[in-house]
mmCIF file of all heavy atoms in Angstrom:
data_model
loop_
_atom_site.group_PDB
_atom_site.id
_atom_site.type_symbol
_atom_site.label_atom_id
_atom_site.label_comp_id
_atom_site.label_asym_id
_atom_site.label_seq_id
_atom_site.Cartn_x
_atom_site.Cartn_y
_atom_site.Cartn_z
ATOM 1 N N THR A 192 136.014 92.577 95.122
ATOM 2 C CA THR A 192 136.467 92.335 96.505
ATOM 3 C C THR A 192 136.429 90.857 96.888
ATOM 4 O O THR A 192 136.854 90.514 97.992
ATOM 5 C CB THR A 192 135.593 93.117 97.518
ATOM 6 O OG1 THR A 192 134.232 92.744 97.308
ATOM 7 C CG2 THR A 192 135.758 94.616 97.353
ATOM 8 N N ARG A 193 135.923 89.972 96.007
ATOM 9 C CA ARG A 193 135.875 88.556 96.410
ATOM 10 C C ARG A 193 137.301 88.031 96.572
ATOM 11 O O ARG A 193 138.238 88.530 95.945
ATOM 12 C CB ARG A 193 135.079 87.733 95.392
ATOM 13 C CG ARG A 193 135.776 87.543 94.094
ATOM 14 C CD ARG A 193 135.080 86.530 93.187
ATOM 15 N NE ARG A 193 135.740 86.569 91.907
ATOM 16 C CZ ARG A 193 135.155 86.791 90.753
ATOM 17 N NH1 ARG A 193 133.864 86.982 90.684
ATOM 18 N NH2 ARG A 193 135.862 86.815 89.640
ATOM 19 N N GLU A 194 137.409 86.980 97.398
ATOM 20 C CA GLU A 194 138.734 86.470 97.733
ATOM 21 C C GLU A 194 139.369 85.713 96.574
ATOM 22 O O GLU A 194 140.550 85.857 96.290
ATOM 23 C CB GLU A 194 138.584 85.530 98.925
ATOM 24 C CG GLU A 194 139.633 85.755 99.967
ATOM 25 C CD GLU A 194 139.243 85.069 101.254
ATOM 26 O OE1 GLU A 194 138.395 85.619 102.001
ATOM 27 O OE2 GLU A 194 139.772 83.980 101.466
ATOM 28 N N ASP A 195 138.543 84.878 95.904
ATOM 29 C CA ASP A 195 139.070 84.027 94.839
ATOM 30 C C ASP A 195 138.971 84.747 93.489
ATOM 31 O O ASP A 195 137.879 85.092 93.034
ATOM 32 C CB ASP A 195 138.249 82.723 94.807
ATOM 33 C CG ASP A 195 138.858 81.692 93.863
ATOM 34 O OD1 ASP A 195 139.777 82.051 93.091
ATOM 35 O OD2 ASP A 195 138.410 80.540 93.904
ATOM 36 N N SER A 196 140.095 84.960 92.837
ATOM 37 C CA SER A 196 140.153 85.553 91.501
ATOM 38 C C SER A 196 139.329 86.837 91.354
ATOM 39 O O SER A 196 138.443 86.898 90.501
ATOM 40 C CB SER A 196 139.674 84.550 90.440
ATOM 41 O OG SER A 196 140.150 83.274 90.695
ATOM 42 N N PRO A 197 139.588 87.832 92.184
ATOM 43 C CA PRO A 197 138.824 89.076 92.023
ATOM 44 C C PRO A 197 139.125 89.740 90.682
ATOM 45 O O PRO A 197 140.164 89.439 90.069
ATOM 46 C CB PRO A 197 139.343 89.950 93.174
ATOM 47 C CG PRO A 197 140.691 89.424 93.485
ATOM 48 C CD PRO A 197 140.653 87.951 93.200
ATOM 49 N N LEU A 198 138.212 90.591 90.272
ATOM 50 C CA LEU A 198 138.424 91.313 89.019
ATOM 51 C C LEU A 198 139.541 92.340 89.223
ATOM 52 O O LEU A 198 139.375 93.301 89.975
ATOM 53 C CB LEU A 198 137.127 92.031 88.620
ATOM 54 C CG LEU A 198 137.250 93.056 87.488
ATOM 55 C CD1 LEU A 198 137.629 92.371 86.181
ATOM 56 C CD2 LEU A 198 135.946 93.807 87.306
ATOM 57 N N ILE A 199 140.666 92.084 88.585
ATOM 58 C CA ILE A 199 141.756 93.076 88.591
ATOM 59 C C ILE A 199 142.374 93.089 87.199
ATOM 60 O O ILE A 199 142.325 92.085 86.480
ATOM 61 C CB ILE A 199 142.893 92.781 89.617
ATOM 62 C CG1 ILE A 199 143.219 91.271 89.661
ATOM 63 C CG2 ILE A 199 142.610 93.318 90.985
ATOM 64 C CD1 ILE A 199 144.543 90.975 90.320
ATOM 65 N N LYS A 200 142.978 94.196 86.885
ATOM 66 C CA LYS A 200 143.623 94.302 85.579
ATOM 67 C C LYS A 200 144.948 93.554 85.654
ATOM 68 O O LYS A 200 145.734 93.759 86.585
ATOM 69 C CB LYS A 200 143.833 95.789 85.278
ATOM 70 C CG LYS A 200 144.542 96.088 83.986
ATOM 71 C CD LYS A 200 144.698 97.587 83.855
ATOM 72 C CE LYS A 200 145.801 97.982 82.904
ATOM 73 N NZ LYS A 200 147.113 97.449 83.181
ATOM 74 N N ALA A 201 145.200 92.670 84.688
ATOM 75 C CA ALA A 201 146.505 91.991 84.633
ATOM 76 C C ALA A 201 147.566 93.056 84.334
ATOM 77 O O ALA A 201 147.274 94.035 83.642
ATOM 78 C CB ALA A 201 146.493 90.933 83.526
ATOM 79 N N ASP A 202 148.785 92.862 84.856
ATOM 80 C CA ASP A 202 149.850 93.865 84.654
ATOM 81 C C ASP A 202 150.071 94.167 83.182
ATOM 82 O O ASP A 202 150.365 95.297 82.807
ATOM 83 C CB ASP A 202 151.180 93.351 85.241
ATOM 84 C CG ASP A 202 151.126 93.338 86.760
ATOM 85 O OD1 ASP A 202 150.287 94.072 87.309
ATOM 86 O OD2 ASP A 202 151.908 92.582 87.372
ATOM 87 N N ASP A 203 149.945 93.126 82.364
ATOM 88 C CA ASP A 203 150.239 93.318 80.937
ATOM 89 C C ASP A 203 148.976 93.536 80.089
ATOM 90 O O ASP A 203 149.012 93.391 78.868
ATOM 91 C CB ASP A 203 151.056 92.130 80.397
ATOM 92 C CG ASP A 203 150.424 90.783 80.738
ATOM 93 O OD1 ASP A 203 149.464 90.755 81.544
ATOM 94 O OD2 ASP A 203 150.875 89.763 80.205
ATOM 95 N N ALA A 204 147.867 93.888 80.738
ATOM 96 C CA ALA A 204 146.636 94.156 79.960
ATOM 97 C C ALA A 204 146.587 95.618 79.525
ATOM 98 O O ALA A 204 147.105 96.504 80.213
ATOM 99 C CB ALA A 204 145.408 93.827 80.808
ATOM 100 N N ILE A 205 145.956 95.849 78.405
ATOM 101 C CA ILE A 205 145.791 97.215 77.892
ATOM 102 C C ILE A 205 144.413 97.705 78.328
ATOM 103 O O ILE A 205 143.404 97.047 78.053
ATOM 104 C CB ILE A 205 145.894 97.231 76.351
ATOM 105 C CG1 ILE A 205 147.269 96.701 75.927
ATOM 106 C CG2 ILE A 205 145.632 98.631 75.790
ATOM 107 C CD1 ILE A 205 147.372 96.380 74.439
ATOM 108 N N GLU A 206 144.383 98.828 79.031
ATOM 109 C CA GLU A 206 143.095 99.333 79.524
ATOM 110 C C GLU A 206 142.421 100.201 78.474
ATOM 111 O O GLU A 206 143.043 101.067 77.875
ATOM 112 C CB GLU A 206 143.320 100.130 80.815
ATOM 113 C CG GLU A 206 142.012 100.615 81.404
ATOM 114 C CD GLU A 206 142.149 101.064 82.846
ATOM 115 O OE1 GLU A 206 143.112 100.666 83.520
ATOM 116 O OE2 GLU A 206 141.269 101.827 83.281
ATOM 117 N N ILE A 207 141.115 99.933 78.266
ATOM 118 C CA ILE A 207 140.347 100.729 77.309
ATOM 119 C C ILE A 207 139.118 101.282 78.021
ATOM 120 O O ILE A 207 138.247 100.510 78.440
ATOM 121 C CB ILE A 207 139.867 99.847 76.117
ATOM 122 C CG1 ILE A 207 141.030 99.037 75.569
ATOM 123 C CG2 ILE A 207 139.093 100.662 75.082
ATOM 124 C CD1 ILE A 207 141.441 99.227 74.191
ATOM 125 N N ASP A 208 139.057 102.592 78.175
ATOM 126 C CA ASP A 208 137.857 103.207 78.741
ATOM 127 C C ASP A 208 136.957 103.570 77.563
ATOM 128 O O ASP A 208 137.313 104.417 76.739
ATOM 129 C CB ASP A 208 138.241 104.464 79.536
ATOM 130 C CG ASP A 208 137.012 105.121 80.184
ATOM 131 O OD1 ASP A 208 135.882 104.887 79.695
ATOM 132 O OD2 ASP A 208 137.186 105.854 81.158
ATOM 133 N N ASN A 209 135.814 102.887 77.479
ATOM 134 C CA ASN A 209 134.967 103.107 76.298
ATOM 135 C C ASN A 209 133.758 103.999 76.587
ATOM 136 O O ASN A 209 132.817 104.020 75.792
ATOM 137 C CB ASN A 209 134.556 101.769 75.663
ATOM 138 C CG ASN A 209 133.629 100.968 76.546
ATOM 139 O OD1 ASN A 209 133.112 101.481 77.537
ATOM 140 N ND2 ASN A 209 133.419 99.719 76.205
ATOM 141 N N SER A 210 133.817 104.751 77.714
ATOM 142 C CA SER A 210 132.671 105.612 78.066
ATOM 143 C C SER A 210 132.251 106.485 76.897
ATOM 144 O O SER A 210 131.068 106.713 76.670
ATOM 145 C CB SER A 210 133.019 106.533 79.232
ATOM 146 O OG SER A 210 133.409 105.784 80.336
ATOM 147 N N SER A 211 133.236 107.003 76.160
ATOM 148 C CA SER A 211 132.848 107.905 75.072
ATOM 149 C C SER A 211 133.284 107.395 73.700
ATOM 150 O O SER A 211 133.460 108.170 72.768
ATOM 151 C CB SER A 211 133.409 109.302 75.344
ATOM 152 O OG SER A 211 134.788 109.197 75.561
ATOM 153 N N LEU A 212 133.454 106.083 73.583
ATOM 154 C CA LEU A 212 133.774 105.515 72.265
ATOM 155 C C LEU A 212 132.504 104.964 71.627
ATOM 156 O O LEU A 212 131.680 104.356 72.321
ATOM 157 C CB LEU A 212 134.761 104.343 72.399
ATOM 158 C CG LEU A 212 136.213 104.608 72.786
ATOM 159 C CD1 LEU A 212 136.998 103.295 72.755
ATOM 160 C CD2 LEU A 212 136.856 105.599 71.827
ATOM 161 N N THR A 213 132.349 105.146 70.317
ATOM 162 C CA THR A 213 131.229 104.483 69.644
ATOM 163 C C THR A 213 131.626 103.016 69.463
ATOM 164 O O THR A 213 132.808 102.665 69.567
ATOM 165 C CB THR A 213 130.959 105.098 68.257
ATOM 166 O OG1 THR A 213 132.118 104.858 67.444
ATOM 167 C CG2 THR A 213 130.680 106.597 68.341
ATOM 168 N N LEU A 214 130.638 102.173 69.162
ATOM 169 C CA LEU A 214 130.926 100.748 68.957
ATOM 170 C C LEU A 214 131.927 100.564 67.826
ATOM 171 O O LEU A 214 132.826 99.727 67.882
ATOM 172 C CB LEU A 214 129.638 99.990 68.632
ATOM 173 C CG LEU A 214 128.687 99.739 69.796
ATOM 174 C CD1 LEU A 214 127.457 98.979 69.330
ATOM 175 C CD2 LEU A 214 129.404 98.969 70.902
ATOM 176 N N GLU A 215 131.741 101.397 66.792
ATOM 177 C CA GLU A 215 132.609 101.348 65.620
ATOM 178 C C GLU A 215 134.075 101.682 66.008
ATOM 179 O O GLU A 215 135.006 100.973 65.638
ATOM 180 C CB GLU A 215 132.074 102.407 64.626
ATOM 181 C CG GLU A 215 132.662 102.396 63.250
ATOM 182 C CD GLU A 215 132.225 101.188 62.421
ATOM 183 O OE1 GLU A 215 131.262 100.490 62.806
ATOM 184 O OE2 GLU A 215 132.889 100.941 61.396
ATOM 185 N N GLU A 216 134.223 102.754 66.797
ATOM 186 C CA GLU A 216 135.575 103.164 67.225
ATOM 187 C C GLU A 216 136.220 102.088 68.098
ATOM 188 O O GLU A 216 137.401 101.775 67.957
ATOM 189 C CB GLU A 216 135.501 104.476 68.040
ATOM 190 C CG GLU A 216 135.201 105.694 67.202
ATOM 191 C CD GLU A 216 134.800 106.913 68.050
ATOM 192 O OE1 GLU A 216 134.393 106.746 69.224
ATOM 193 O OE2 GLU A 216 134.869 108.018 67.520
#
Side-chain angles (χ1 to χ4, degrees):
T192 56
R193 71 170 172 236
E194 225 166 281
D195 188 349
S196 319
L198 168 65
I199 40 164
K200 178 181 159 304
D202 289 339
D203 51 350
I205 300 167
E206 183 164 339
I207 311 241
D208 182 338
N209 67 12
S210 302
S211 54
L212 289 184
T213 64
L214 285 180
E215 190 71 14
E216 287 166 340

